[in-house]
Amino acid sequence: MGKTGRTNQIYTEDFKKRAVKLYKEGKKSYKTLAEELGLRSSTQLKNWVKKVNEGESFEDLRGRASGNTESNPLKGRNKTNFNSIEEERDYYKAQVEYFKKAVSKSTRGGIIPKSRRFEIIIELKVRYPITWLIEIGQVSRSGYYKWLKTRSIRENKQTKQRLLKSHIMAIHHTYPFYGYPRMEVALKEEGFHINHKKVYRLMKELNIQAEIRKKRPFFGKKPSVIYPNLLNRNFKALKPDEKYVTDITYIQVGDSFYYLSVILDLYNNEVLAWSISKRNDLELVLNTIDQLTQKRNVYGAILHSDQGFQYTSKSYNKRLKELGIQGSHSRKGNCLDNACIESFFSHLKTEKLYRSQFKTEKELIQVIEEYMYLYNFKRFQKKLNQCAPVEYRITLAA
């Protein structure tokens, strides 16, 4: 391993000649003389002596073209034997035309890839013999015909890749919150079985990525004074109707605000009940609970919420006792204790509400109904083995 911080030392031609002269006139070894001259290695001195003995120059030719260094833009293995003046004229004419096309297609500092050279040969082969063009392009005859034979395969591959990119763009426009893992699953559902690394690369080429939700801040850790935190951030449920989470979020419609209350089953993240109102009051919460009891057997289940005034009221606590539900509260001011429902509201807003136009309550309810159906029946989740919540519940129940 080379030492860090070192830079290459450049020695003048006079210095090299003097070093060689000292070696030849004296009786010192390469190593001893190198140390006296301050050389890093005796190998440098050996190389200089060898060059002098072989009659070579000390000039550094690295990075320069070998052989003829004259500037000749008409590259290629020049043909020297011609049958006629016309043939010689046509050959040089082909050389000039090839050079013009090569300059227009050059990349990476003037380097012409072989595939580009083959394309130029195809364009010019109508007017000039293949043997000339192969010489001028500095390619082999077998390489050219191999490239020509596999051309259709490459074109088919490019066509398939363009089709794949169009599907990725279509999915991105519909679900702009999909990253490459979800995009891979969505493509498989459409019949494209490809590796996630390829999906990542194509999305990078298309300059698209998932929209990132804003992270919420973390607050203090004061214990609840109403119900103990039975959930305690254990968001995994072993069976349906074991653990519920609930919360309220607000939605702006013009100059007005609407409040959405939702209850989620932690077993499969399914939305079991939701209710919307212009008032953020106790009635909104109780209506949501009533919807839940009409669909599920809630006796013995845990219903977790934050310490909002609705969830700490006497009427709310009375209703839970009547239904046999165990109440659970987050620590005060700590939204991470109810992270699952907070995450759901974030998905709802970024994936649907912020992308929809609604001016009335009726339009808002329609938009929310569409997303609830999408979320429960269509939107697959990694936690659920790439299944939608309802599909996951039905599959395990079968």
Side-chain angles (χ1 to χ4, degrees):
M1 182 182 293
K3 295 182 179 180
T4 58
R6 275 194 171 185
T7 57
N8 292 331
Q9 179 67 44
I10 299 175
Y11 301 99
T12 63
E13 189 173 347
D14 292 336
F15 178 85
K16 294 176 184 178
K17 288 180 179 179
R18 185 167 60 87
V20 173
K21 186 178 180 181
L22 289 173
Y23 173 77
K24 287 187 174 184
E25 293 177 351
K27 295 183 180 180
K28 296 180 180 179
S29 65
Y30 285 116
K31 184 176 181 181
T32 305
L33 187 56
E35 289 177 355
E36 290 181 2
L37 294 174
L39 301 179
R40 288 179 182 163
S41 172
S42 61
T43 306
Q44 288 179 305
L45 182 56
K46 289 180 183 179
N47 291 335
W48 296 343
V49 173
K50 183 180 178 181
K51 283 187 175 183
V52 171
N53 292 337
E54 294 178 355
E56 295 182 10
S57 172
F58 285 121
E59 187 179 2
D60 190 359
L61 299 176
R62 289 177 296 179
R64 302 183 186 180
S66 60
N68 183 17
T69 56
E70 294 181 3
S71 177
N72 179 21
L74 304 178
K75 297 179 181 179
R77 297 184 289 271
N78 293 328
K79 185 177 176 66
T80 56
N81 299 322
F82 301 99
N83 296 325
S84 64
I85 296 176
E86 289 78 9
E87 185 181 4
E88 184 178 4
R89 177 202 63 197
D90 292 341
Y91 179 84
Y92 287 116
K93 187 177 179 181
Q95 206 173 30
V96 171
E97 286 194 40
Y98 178 90
F99 169 69
K100 288 180 179 179
K101 290 184 179 293
V103 170
S104 65
K105 294 179 181 290
S106 64
T107 57
R108 298 180 296 172
I111 299 175
I112 316 290
K114 275 193 175 181
S115 58
R116 298 281 190 182
R117 286 182 259 171
F118 291 146
E119 290 173 2
I120 296 172
I121 291 172
I122 286 181
E123 292 179 24
L124 298 178
K125 72 176 184 178
V126 181
R127 299 193 296 276
Y128 306 105
I130 287 289
T131 53
W132 292 4
L133 297 173
I134 286 174
E135 284 186 357
I136 296 169
Q138 292 183 309
V139 295
S140 66
R141 189 184 186 92
S142 60
Y144 167 72
Y145 283 110
K146 182 180 179 181
W147 178 85
L148 196 62
K149 186 177 180 181
T150 57
R151 189 182 186 189
S152 59
I153 298 174
R154 288 193 304 276
E155 289 177 351
N156 290 337
K157 187 177 179 181
Q158 291 172 0
T159 302
K160 289 179 181 178
Q161 186 145 310
R162 284 194 294 270
L163 179 63
L164 183 58
K165 284 185 176 181
S166 65
H167 277 265
I168 290 175
M169 288 301 299
I171 294 172
H172 177 71
H173 286 309
T174 308
Y175 307 105
F177 44 86
Y178 278 8
Y180 74 91
R182 288 180 179 273
M183 184 67 72
E184 180 196 4
V185 177
L187 287 170
K188 283 182 179 178
E189 290 186 351
E190 295 189 7
F192 294 95
H193 296 273
I194 56 175
N195 187 273
H196 66 279
K197 294 179 183 178
K198 185 174 183 180
V199 177
Y200 175 81
R201 176 174 58 80
L202 293 178
M203 289 182 68
K204 195 172 182 180
E205 289 177 7
L206 293 169
N207 196 27
I208 58 176
Q209 60 182 359
E211 294 191 357
I212 305 300
R213 302 187 302 277
K214 291 183 179 179
K215 303 296 185 291
R216 293 179 176 270
F218 182 80
F219 297 97
K221 299 182 178 179
K222 293 185 179 180
S224 172
V225 294
I226 302 299
Y227 282 127
N229 188 354
L230 299 179
L231 199 61
N232 197 24
R233 297 196 186 181
N234 181 11
F235 301 121
K236 186 175 182 180
L238 300 178
K239 59 183 180 179
D241 305 316
E242 182 183 6
K243 298 176 182 177
Y244 303 131
V245 289
T246 184
D247 200 1
I248 299 172
T249 189
Y250 71 90
I251 303 167
Q252 186 171 3
V253 182
D255 296 331
S256 304
F257 287 94
Y258 287 82
Y259 298 90
L260 174 67
S261 172
V262 174
I263 298 179
L264 211 68
D265 190 343
L266 289 181
Y267 173 69
N268 60 339
N269 287 350
E270 182 180 355
V271 177
L272 300 178
W274 62 276
S275 182
I276 193 165
S277 172
K278 285 186 175 181
R279 296 175 60 86
N280 183 15
D281 54 13
L282 177 63
E283 184 180 356
L284 173 63
V285 173
L286 297 181
N287 286 341
T288 313
I289 295 177
D290 290 341
Q291 288 185 34
L292 175 65
T293 57
Q294 293 172 11
K295 297 178 181 179
R296 299 294 181 90
N297 179 14
V298 298
Y299 186 82
I302 295 175
L303 180 58
H304 183 82
S305 67
D306 58 22
Q307 292 189 31
F309 73 92
Q310 306 93 331
Y311 303 114
T312 56
S313 66
K314 292 181 180 179
S315 299
Y316 175 81
N317 296 331
K318 182 181 178 181
R319 180 65 63 88
L320 294 190
K321 289 180 181 179
E322 291 174 352
L323 297 172
I325 297 176
Q326 302 179 67
S328 174
H329 281 142
S330 300
R331 288 166 293 181
K332 191 172 182 181
N334 196 327
C335 62
L336 297 179
D337 284 350
N338 205 8
C340 290
I341 195 72
E342 297 286 358
S343 177
F344 169 78
F345 285 141
S346 178
H347 284 299
L348 168 65
K349 292 181 178 181
T350 57
E351 296 174 11
K352 190 66 177 178
L353 296 183
Y354 295 157
R355 304 180 177 282
S356 303
Q357 299 290 333
F358 42 82
K359 298 181 180 179
T360 63
E361 180 179 349
K362 184 177 180 181
E363 292 175 351
L364 173 62
I365 292 174
Q366 182 180 352
V367 168
I368 295 175
E369 285 177 345
E370 289 175 358
Y371 185 78
M372 294 302 183
Y373 176 80
L374 169 70
Y375 185 86
N376 280 340
F377 292 91
K378 298 291 184 181
R379 189 182 183 278
F380 49 83
Q381 301 181 29
K382 187 176 182 180
K383 171 187 173 183
L384 306 179
N385 296 328
Q386 304 298 355
C387 294
V390 174
E391 179 187 4
Y392 180 81
R393 173 169 53 81
I394 294 173
T395 302
L396 293 188

